Amino acid sequence: MAYEKSGGIFVNWNLVLNIVLIVVIILAILLVVLYFLGRKMEKRQAEQKTLMDASAQTVSMLIIDKKKMKLKEANLPKMVYEQTPKYLRFAKVPIVKAKVGPKVMTLIAEEQVFASLPIKTEVKAVVSGLYITSVKGVRGSVLTPPKKKKFLDRFKKDKS
């Protein structure tokens, strides 16, 4: 056997190389599996996007409130909660409470749309089922999210 004294400890270099080789092989297999799973998920996402675009409607609504909360707390229909994958049931999602016509509805928004939604304002939104995909101002103007100040910008004085 190939033992070598290294700092008072005998090391079997063949064993160490075998362990490193096994770890590298396992990592390579894991990367290949993740690659194919990612491609499969991309295809599924593209199919869902086309279905959502097909069922999209433009609706005028008054935004009452918006929050990030868990699906269970959001007062969504029970069917929505049951169809959600188990690993996503406890994640916080952007929930919007809006008045659409005479009804007050609870809707789910995309992250980018959620950031740009003004509260207590009437907007035109593209809605697909319970999902808000895009939003415009009621007069056709595009809403932009307010820019957040960086931490250090809070302490800087205005030059004007």
Side-chain angles (χ1 to χ4, degrees):
M1 292 201 168
Y3 288 106
E4 188 176 312
K5 192 169 186 179
S6 172
I9 301 173
F10 288 100
V11 178
N12 184 350
W13 289 108
N14 289 334
L15 181 64
V16 171
L17 290 175
N18 285 339
I19 291 173
V20 169
L21 184 64
I22 290 171
V23 169
V24 168
I25 290 172
I26 290 173
L27 287 176
I29 291 171
L30 185 66
L31 285 174
V32 168
V33 168
L34 287 175
Y35 172 76
F36 285 111
L37 282 176
R39 297 221 13 217
K40 185 177 178 182
M41 292 293 203
E42 283 179 6
K43 289 178 185 176
R44 190 178 297 166
Q45 184 180 15
E47 291 172 3
Q48 289 175 352
K49 178 89 170 131
T50 57
L51 287 175
M52 287 188 62
D53 290 342
S55 66
Q57 301 175 5
T58 302
V59 177
S60 181
M61 62 176 64
L62 175 70
I63 306 299
I64 298 171
D65 190 21
K66 66 177 189 173
K67 291 181 187 174
K68 285 195 171 202
M69 56 178 37
K70 295 180 181 178
L71 284 175
K72 190 91 170 175
E73 303 165 355
N75 295 332
L76 290 169
K78 188 176 180 183
M79 192 171 87
V80 172
Y81 183 74
E82 290 172 355
Q83 288 180 350
T84 306
K86 291 189 181 193
Y87 64 92
L88 290 177
R89 288 185 182 176
F90 301 105
K92 290 190 174 186
V93 293
I95 301 292
V96 177
K97 190 173 258 190
K99 185 174 182 184
V100 181
K103 286 176 73 176
V104 175
M105 297 179 68
T106 304
L107 305 166
I108 302 171
E110 283 187 356
E111 289 290 334
Q112 300 88 0
V113 172
F114 183 75
S116 67
L117 276 174
I119 298 175
K120 304 210 185 324
T121 308
E122 190 171 343
V123 295
K124 284 193 178 189
V126 177
V127 178
S128 180
L130 291 176
Y131 198 69
I132 301 173
T133 56
S134 68
V135 79
K136 294 180 189 170
V138 80
R139 307 286 182 256
S141 61
V142 178
L143 300 172
T144 56
K147 292 187 179 182
K148 289 186 178 180
K149 287 186 177 181
K150 294 181 183 174
F151 181 72
L152 294 176
D153 289 343
R154 295 179 192 167
F155 303 109
K156 292 181 182 178
K157 293 183 180 179
D158 290 332
K159 294 182 181 179
S160 55

